[in-house]
Amino acid sequence: MSLLRVENLHRYLGEGDTRCHALRGVGFTIEPGRTYAIAGHSGSGKSTLLYLLGLLDIPDQGQIWVGDRETSRLTDDERTAVRNEHMGFVFQFHFLLKEFTALENVMLPMRKLGRLSEEAMRAKASDLLVAVGLGDKTRRLGTQLSGGEQQRVAIARALANDPGLILADEPTGNLDHTNADRVFALLSDIAHQRGQALLMVSHNPELASRCDHVFRMQDGVILP
Amino acid sequence: MSPALLIALRFLSARKRAMLMSLAGIVFGVAFFVVTQAQTAGFESYFIKTILGVNGMVRIEDRIQSTRSLAATQGSDFTIAVEGSVKYIPGVQYPNDLLGALKRFPEVTAASPVIRGNATLIANFREYDVKPYGIELASFVNVSDLDTQIIDGSLGAFSENPYGLILGVRIAKRMNLQIGDSVLLDAAGEPQRFRINAIYETGIDQVDRERVYLHLPAGRSLLNKPVGASFIQANVVAPELAPALAMRIEEAVGHSTLAWQEREKTWLQVFSVLRISSALTISTIIFISGLGMFNTLVMIVVDKTREIAILRSMGYTREDISRIFMLQGGIVVACGVVFGCLAAAAGTYALSHIPIRIRGIFASDHFVVLWDPWHYVGAAVIAVIVVMVASYFPSRRAARLEPGSIIRGSSS
Ligand SMILES: Nc1ncnc2c1ncn2[C@@H]1O[C@H](COP(=O)(O)OP(=O)(O)OP(=O)(O)O)[C@@H](O)[C@H]1O
Ligand SMILES: [Mg+2]
């Protein structure tokens, strides 16, 4: 069984004059333990697709299966629970909560899931920060970290609940070349090691080509 | 600690100064509310205590006569007052019968007959109009606080002297009279001699400057009313039972019976209006703090829009987000109520020690306060309602944010 399957996705955005057919029938399958890139020109619908897959948005037509579960009829709370347990997000901007330390930021998804004790959460978050190379900066607030470091904390946070799928929208878009390389390597290594799938939107053709599979998008469809 | 509470605390710390302002407003509001209530209620209850100590809880007075049996009483020397269709025959003609009848009411703890009239007090070649009250001392002390109102002389001396007299403090001052002085009382053109055995002070001007107490037989002789009494003053087990009981007594004995609540209606209304108006005025402090709170929370929602979106994306539900903001209100109001109540207790204690001389409707030499837990409950309820309403709208706004469009809007 595939991790995620979508069929014939359509999405219109905007109202009236600005209404635009952003996705025009997209379908594909994501398998565990593999890395996928979505490449395409600006405005081709990459982010729109990613938000639909992440259940942050609802398609106008088409189905999204997470495992064997069809998601179009789920309530907002059920979709939220699926995100919490099965998905991890990394965005172009890291969105760390700045009143929380790196460690506490990583613990936030675990607190919501509520399956681990306080100590276990702490230990696991600590391990994740070690994995992203920030073992010595767990007590820093977001504002006391560099852009690349903040993005690595965001990656650790996305991995907090061991999600099957990591969704990343231009995770390296805001970073310099070295940091971009490092963050990408980290994401793809972790995905391969832990059997998690990575779906990444990227403008960087070099990084995209290092993924197991590349979806090329144009005008709301995936090119064959 | 629940994650929502943890996040609420951290978000609050991001707007520390604005939150402390709202908190201070709530603390002040709650404290002022309680202190003003403690003080107005203190004065009210002290007034009630004073007035009960003077005039008792219930008075049984004029006999009620239906129009048909009016003829039967014509010829007696009682005058007839007409009020509506009911006739009142002034006074109590057979006080002993009435006292006997009152014994059948177990709620009546004590009853004492009193005869009342007008007289002129003559001393030091001066005259002064007074209202003599003929009392039966042994029972009268059970329906009044006369024993504690004595500020000079003693009730013991009065009880041993058939022509003893107890003078209001204002009369004694005005007429320059002391214990042991001998005075004349003139009611019916035949002055009688009395000796001052005690001086009382109730604090109620009206009473202290016109009422003198003498023994019931002496009063009857002075006022030339050989039998009967003007009214019977009675106490009941609890002051709040008086109105219902008065109605039952009136029905059973056929005498107009007045409870203290009815008798002192005007003053009681003044006090309750005072209390309500001060509660309303002070509530505006809490209300304004609520507005400040609302403002701050709206700012936090705007400030934290991205954080809310990311929390939603990582699995926090709309309800969690709403709870985070309601909890911020909850934390502030909880602190506000706790510190407000502590400040209120300290303020009330301090106030009760401020010296102030009050005479007129009661006698006190310091602020009178009433310690009533309900004042604290009332202030807390007002604060909680105001802050929760003020938190509700920002929290709903936060919960309604769409994570997808926020993240889209801020990423590319
Ligand atoms: N709120 C909106 N109203 C109308 N049209 C919109 C809205 N948001 C996006 N669009 C349009 O939808 C299309 C797809 O947008 P999307 O953000 O998915 O593009 P993208 O591939 O992620 O682009 P980029 O590489 O620049 O991030 C674009 O043509 C865009 O103009
Ligand atoms: Mg995009």
Side-chain angles (χ1 to χ4, degrees):
Chain A
M1 186 181 56
S2 59
L3 187 67
L4 185 102
R5 186 157 62 87
V6 296
E7 244 171 47
N8 194 29
L9 283 186
H10 285 264
R11 181 73 174 115
Y12 297 86
L13 290 170
E15 299 290 325
D17 287 349
T18 64
R19 190 168 161 88
C20 117
H21 198 170
L23 291 182
R24 307 164 185 251
V26 173
F28 56 80
T29 305
I30 303 276
E31 301 297 338
R34 291 172 62 82
T35 59
Y36 301 80
I38 307 176
H41 292 298
S42 182
S44 55
K46 306 184 294 293
S47 298
T48 307
L49 176 60
L50 195 87
Y51 298 147
L52 285 180
L53 301 181
L55 309 186
L56 290 167
D57 193 10
I58 297 172
D60 294 304
Q61 198 191 320
Q63 284 89 40
I64 303 169
W65 279 271
V66 176
D68 55 359
R69 203 164 175 199
E70 210 283 302
T71 59
S72 61
R73 278 200 190 78
L74 296 185
T75 64
D76 192 68
D77 281 359
E78 287 166 337
R79 304 160 73 80
T80 305
V82 172
R83 285 201 298 273
N84 182 232
E85 200 177 342
H86 301 293
M87 292 174 184
F89 292 89
V90 184
F91 299 105
Q92 181 175 0
F93 295 94
H94 45 78
F95 294 133
L96 295 186
L97 270 64
K98 60 176 180 286
E99 289 83 18
F100 290 78
T101 64
L103 191 77
E104 290 168 331
N105 264 289
V106 177
M107 286 165 75
L108 281 172
M110 306 183 203
R111 284 193 193 283
K112 177 57 198 171
L113 192 61
R115 291 207 183 132
L116 298 177
S117 69
E118 181 78 18
E119 296 77 58
M121 287 194 285
R122 208 164 272 283
K124 185 172 178 192
S126 203
D127 289 348
L128 285 168
L129 284 171
V130 170
V132 299
L134 290 172
D136 54 339
K137 293 178 177 168
T138 57
R139 290 180 183 286
R140 300 265 188 104
L141 293 175
T143 47
Q144 298 164 338
L145 293 168
S146 76
E149 288 170 338
Q150 291 179 37
Q151 194 59 301
R152 281 187 274 153
V153 175
I155 290 170
R157 183 175 64 188
L159 298 170
N161 287 338
D162 298 317
L165 178 61
I166 301 160
L167 296 164
D169 193 355
E170 298 180 41
T172 61
N174 211 24
L175 304 175
D176 62 38
H177 183 76
T178 347
N179 264 312
D181 208 64
R182 201 162 162 201
V183 162
F184 173 76
L186 191 62
L187 273 171
S188 87
D189 287 355
I190 286 173
H192 285 128
Q193 277 166 23
R194 304 183 180 214
Q196 292 162 317
L198 168 69
L199 182 65
M200 181 182 79
V201 170
S202 184
H203 272 129
N204 185 330
E206 197 257 323
L207 292 185
S209 66
R210 281 158 64 183
C211 288
D212 300 333
H213 190 90
V214 182
F215 298 116
R216 302 206 174 276
M217 278 196 82
Q218 194 178 323
D219 296 334
V221 290
I222 289 179
L223 298 176
Chain B
M1 198 191 307
S2 85
L5 181 59
L6 182 74
I7 297 167
L9 281 169
R10 297 292 171 90
F11 278 8
L12 271 184
S13 69
R15 287 267 175 193
K16 225 176 281 162
R17 205 174 320 151
M19 278 301 170
L20 284 176
M21 291 292 285
S22 304
L23 177 64
I26 294 164
V27 170
F28 274 116
V30 167
F32 275 131
F33 184 95
V34 171
V35 169
T36 51
Q37 290 300 298
Q39 186 224 305
T40 45
F43 280 136
E44 178 176 6
S45 71
Y46 196 68
F47 165 77
I48 291 170
K49 183 186 171 319
T50 303
I51 202 77
L52 294 184
V54 174
N55 289 334
M57 296 181 196
V58 173
R59 267 190 187 183
I60 301 120
E61 294 181 88
D62 307 347
R63 186 142 73 89
I64 303 168
Q65 182 88 351
S66 71
T67 324
R68 261 175 291 129
S69 55
L70 190 61
T73 57
Q74 277 176 354
S76 77
D77 41 349
F78 285 95
T79 50
I80 294 170
V82 181
E83 202 175 283
S85 62
V86 185
K87 310 284 175 285
Y88 289 94
I89 300 161
V92 179
Q93 212 168 348
Y94 305 105
N96 288 337
D97 292 357
L98 200 45
L99 287 170
L102 285 178
K103 289 225 165 63
R104 290 201 301 272
F105 291 89
E107 300 95 326
V108 175
T109 54
S112 179
V114 178
I115 192 155
R116 175 182 52 185
N118 293 296
T120 306
L121 185 144
I122 306 159
N124 304 333
F125 310 107
R126 282 193 290 167
E127 296 190 349
Y128 188 92
D129 286 339
V130 296
K131 286 195 165 31
Y133 275 59
I135 57 169
E136 202 181 84
L137 183 63
S139 60
F140 191 73
V141 293
N142 295 329
V143 296
S144 73
D145 293 334
L146 184 60
D147 44 352
T148 61
Q149 289 157 2
I150 301 301
I151 57 170
D152 199 2
S154 76
L155 284 183
F158 171 76
S159 70
E160 280 162 19
N161 178 3
Y163 290 94
L165 195 65
I166 306 175
L167 226 53
V169 65
R170 313 262 300 196
I171 306 171
K173 285 219 174 93
R174 180 74 71 86
M175 296 292 283
N176 198 18
L177 292 168
Q178 263 104 46
I179 302 296
D181 287 353
S182 160
V183 299
L184 288 175
L185 280 181
D186 183 359
E190 221 177 302
Q192 299 186 8
R193 186 158 294 279
F194 292 86
R195 187 170 296 278
I196 301 170
N197 291 124
I199 293 173
Y200 71 85
E201 177 175 41
T202 63
I204 305 173
D205 260 357
Q206 189 74 21
V207 173
D208 293 348
R209 69 162 179 248
E210 65 178 23
R211 192 181 292 190
V212 300
Y213 292 107
L214 54 162
H215 291 287
L216 189 59
R220 282 181 175 148
S221 137
L222 173 72
L223 299 170
N224 204 9
K225 291 177 186 165
V227 291
S230 303
F231 58 86
I232 285 175
Q233 183 161 323
N235 268 3
V236 301
V237 282
E240 62 275 12
L241 297 181
L245 191 61
M247 262 164 69
R248 280 170 49 213
I249 293 175
E250 179 166 311
E251 224 155 79
V253 302
H255 278 263
S256 137
T257 305
L258 208 57
W260 64 275
Q261 287 93 335
E262 183 69 18
R263 194 176 69 213
E264 310 298 341
K265 205 154 89 187
T266 320
W267 275 112
L268 293 179
Q269 260 165 11
V270 168
F271 279 114
S272 86
V273 166
L274 254 171
R275 222 172 41 191
I276 292 167
S277 78
S278 79
L280 289 179
T281 316
I282 304 300
S283 297
T284 57
I285 301 181
I286 299 177
F287 189 74
I288 288 168
S289 318
L291 281 180
M293 186 83 206
F294 171 82
N295 220 12
T296 312
L297 284 175
V298 168
M299 283 193 302
I300 294 180
V301 173
V302 172
D303 239 31
K304 301 290 182 197
T305 302
R306 288 168 152 218
E307 282 85 346
I308 292 166
I310 200 76
L311 284 169
R312 293 277 287 119
S313 80
M314 70 172 74
Y316 286 81
T317 60
R318 288 189 196 282
E319 208 189 316
D320 291 325
I321 301 299
S322 159
R323 190 173 302 135
I324 287 170
F325 284 86
M326 290 305 282
L327 275 172
Q328 295 183 56
I331 292 163
V332 172
V333 78
C335 293
V337 165
V338 168
F339 291 120
C341 287
L342 290 176
T348 307
Y349 180 80
L351 190 70
S352 68
H353 285 73
I354 294 177
I356 176 178
R357 189 183 151 80
I358 304 171
R359 294 294 184 277
I361 54 170
F362 50 74
S364 177
D365 294 319
H366 51 82
F367 266 96
V368 189
V369 299
L370 181 74
W371 294 87
D372 185 346
W374 287 108
H375 296 157
Y376 295 79
V377 172
V381 166
I382 292 173
V384 167
I385 289 174
V386 166
V387 173
M388 286 297 119
V389 170
S391 311
Y392 173 73
F393 295 97
S395 81
R396 198 178 57 167
R397 180 172 162 175
R400 283 186 177 172
L401 291 176
E402 281 298 338
S405 40
I406 291 161
I407 291 167
R408 172 191 289 282
S410 51
S411 54
S412 54

